[in-house]
DNA sequence: CACCAGGGTACCT
DNA sequence: AGGTACCATGGT
């Protein structure tokens, strides 16, 4: 980096019901690292450090490098102004959701960049969250533009652009440990680069129409499309059904009869209400917490 | 060493 | 339409 250092910006956000650590590590975004009691990551082309004294503290502190005064991009990413209380009030008032909400107080939905979110979830299929983080990190290190960090003591990279990925070879991507997902990511990038599907245009569509567009992309089925609809476009009704959610629905709502994936999608489309996406994220995290405490033998 | 991981697709009844 | 093998790699 030969460019001059930008100035530091420090911002504090006043929040309620916002557990930063839980949110950043909940498997919706894959670029956050816990370091020195803070969370460091890259949003767009900006390096950011976020911190919160305790998980229920009412302040989130942010440090980033930028010449501009504006911090709207960060407020938006973190969804500081989202009204979770109202969303939670629309959940079904059953035992399952009550427990899930109680176990995940402060869990939020972020608002990510569509391309990075889409690419990350194409890489997510049948991978554990730790592995997804590793693969995404490799892709960024190798092909992303370097971004400025404080004193450039550490290195950070932005997520590579559509055109950058589109111009690579399949073996470049396979070298990032993504295996059979490499042609999916490559061909999706090429299709987007051709303009046949335009991610920006999806913002103006209905959830169903936007899903149809996303599912035209190779390696993108219903589940990955729903993740992007929820985590990047903010469609509150998008309800990704992955293995964890399928297991949760099966065990908690249909313990008697085996349901197919499609049946569970149809069920969840109406049962969890207009903010089903939020309900889904609570259920997902609740299941993961339960599994972890069971595995480690704690409480 | 099995078994599983925030699935999708092609190919089979 | 509805089921199933396969894809590549690493964590547990």
């Amino acid at each position: 980096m030969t460019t001059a250092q930008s100035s530091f910006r420090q911002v504090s956000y006043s929040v309620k019901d916002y557990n930063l650590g839980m949110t950043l590590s909940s498997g919706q975004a894959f670029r956050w690292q816990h370091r020195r009691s803070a969370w460091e990551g890259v949003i767009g082309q900006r390096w950011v450090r976020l911190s919160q004294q305790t998980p229920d503290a009412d302040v989130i502190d942010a440090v980033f490098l930028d010449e501009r005064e504006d911090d709207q991009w960060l407020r938006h990413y973190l969804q500081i102004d989202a009204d979770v209380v109202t969303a939670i009030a629309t959940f079904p008032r059953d035992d399952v959701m009550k427990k899930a909400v109680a176990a995940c107080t402060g869990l939020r939905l972020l608002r990510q960049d569509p391309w990075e979110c889409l690419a990350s979830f194409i890489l997510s299929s049948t991978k554990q969250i730790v592995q997804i983080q590793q693969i995404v990190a490799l892709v960024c290190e190798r092909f992303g533009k370097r971004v400025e960090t404080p004193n450039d003591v550490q290195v950070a990279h932005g997520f590579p652009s559509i055109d950058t990925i589109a111009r690579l070879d399949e073996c470049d991507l396979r070298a990032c440990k993504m295996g059979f997902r490499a042609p999916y990511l490559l061909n999706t990038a090429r299709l987007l680069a051709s303009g046949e599907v335009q991610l920006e245009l999806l913002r103006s569509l209905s959830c169903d129409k936007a899903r149809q567009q996303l599912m035209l992309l190779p390696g993108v089925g219903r589940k990955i499309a729903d993740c992007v609809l929820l985590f990047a476009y903010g469609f509150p009704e998008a309800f990704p059904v992955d293995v964890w959610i399928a297991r949760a629905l099966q065990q908690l709502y249909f313990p008697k009869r085996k349901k197919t994936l499609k049946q569970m999608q149809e069920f969840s489309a109406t049962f969890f209400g207009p903010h089903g996406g939020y309900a889904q994220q609570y259920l997902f995290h609740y299941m993961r917490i339960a599994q972890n405490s069971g595995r480690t033998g704690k409480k």
Side-chain angles (χ1 to χ4, degrees):
Chain A
M1 272 289 144
T2 54
T3 55
Q5 276 274 297
S6 303
S7 52
F8 265 105
R9 298 260 164 229
Q10 291 185 279
V11 186
S12 293
Y13 297 119
S14 168
V15 293
K16 198 171 174 301
D17 296 317
Y18 204 130
N19 185 332
L20 181 71
M22 188 186 286
T23 299
L24 296 181
S25 62
S26 67
Q28 47 179 322
F30 303 100
R31 301 218 54 204
W32 293 99
Q33 288 185 293
H34 196 48
R35 250 189 239 155
R36 284 170 277 146
S37 71
W39 292 89
E40 297 180 2
V42 176
I43 303 174
Q45 298 300 319
R46 297 184 191 88
W47 175 92
V48 184
R49 172 160 39 213
L50 301 169
S51 58
Q52 185 178 30
Q53 291 293 318
T54 61
D56 61 344
D58 56 6
V59 175
I60 292 176
D61 293 301
V63 176
F64 53 93
L65 292 161
D66 201 348
E67 283 125 10
R68 303 185 303 167
E69 296 292 335
D70 177 46
D71 69 322
Q72 199 51 42
W73 54 275
L74 184 54
R75 284 188 86 87
H76 187 251
Y77 179 90
L78 293 172
Q79 290 288 289
I80 295 295
D81 301 314
D83 183 2
V84 264
V85 177
T86 301
I88 290 172
T90 67
F91 292 174
R93 303 176 187 284
D94 58 30
D95 220 41
V96 174
M97 284 312 300
K98 278 184 200 162
K99 281 185 190 165
V101 169
C104 306
T105 306
L107 180 60
R108 299 292 200 108
L109 290 175
L110 302 168
R111 188 68 59 86
Q112 302 176 58
D113 170 69
W115 161 241
E116 177 173 341
C117 185
L118 170 64
S120 299
F121 276 98
I122 286 174
L123 300 177
S124 76
S125 69
T126 53
K127 279 288 180 195
Q128 298 179 146
I129 289 173
V130 238
Q131 279 182 276
I132 303 166
Q133 291 168 337
Q134 288 172 2
I135 297 169
V136 170
L138 270 175
V139 171
C140 291
E141 276 169 33
R142 297 200 182 177
F143 309 118
K145 278 205 303 194
R146 187 158 171 196
V147 302
E148 199 178 349
T149 55
N151 307 314
D152 283 333
V153 286
Q154 49 184 326
V155 191
H157 299 266
F159 194 88
S161 68
I162 292 172
D163 288 327
T164 299
I165 298 289
R167 282 194 257 272
L168 296 175
D169 285 321
E170 185 178 318
C171 56
D172 297 330
L173 292 174
R174 281 189 185 259
C176 298
K177 318 281 189 188
M178 65 181 74
F180 62 84
R181 302 157 196 83
Y184 290 154
L185 180 60
L186 183 61
N187 292 327
T188 285
R190 290 182 176 168
L191 203 62
L192 291 173
S194 80
E196 203 165 322
V197 175
Q198 295 184 52
L199 291 180
E200 280 311 311
L201 203 135
L202 302 193
R203 296 186 193 281
S204 60
L205 301 182
S206 68
C207 187
D208 288 336
K209 290 290 182 190
R211 183 187 294 112
Q212 281 179 23
Q213 289 292 300
L214 288 170
M215 289 177 68
L216 293 174
L217 301 166
V220 182
R222 172 69 186 242
K223 189 268 167 182
I224 291 177
D226 280 347
C227 284
V228 179
L229 292 171
L230 183 61
F231 301 141
Y233 292 100
F235 285 105
E237 69 267 45
F239 193 103
V241 179
D242 70 334
V243 287
W244 290 89
I245 293 295
R247 201 175 298 149
L249 297 181
Q250 189 67 63
Q251 287 174 7
L252 304 173
Y253 288 101
F254 313 106
K256 298 291 179 189
R257 223 177 285 282
K258 171 100 174 132
K259 296 285 180 187
T260 65
L261 203 61
K262 178 163 282 183
Q263 287 174 310
M264 291 196 270
Q265 277 160 5
E266 286 165 8
F267 169 75
S268 56
T270 55
F271 182 79
F272 292 98
H275 298 275
Y278 249 107
Q280 181 275 166
Q281 192 63 9
Y282 278 82
L283 261 182
F284 176 77
H285 202 70
Y286 174 55
M287 291 299 281
R288 295 189 67 226
I289 290 171
Q291 200 243 16
N292 265 323
S293 60
R295 206 169 36 70
T296 57
K298 279 174 192 155
K299 214 186 313 189

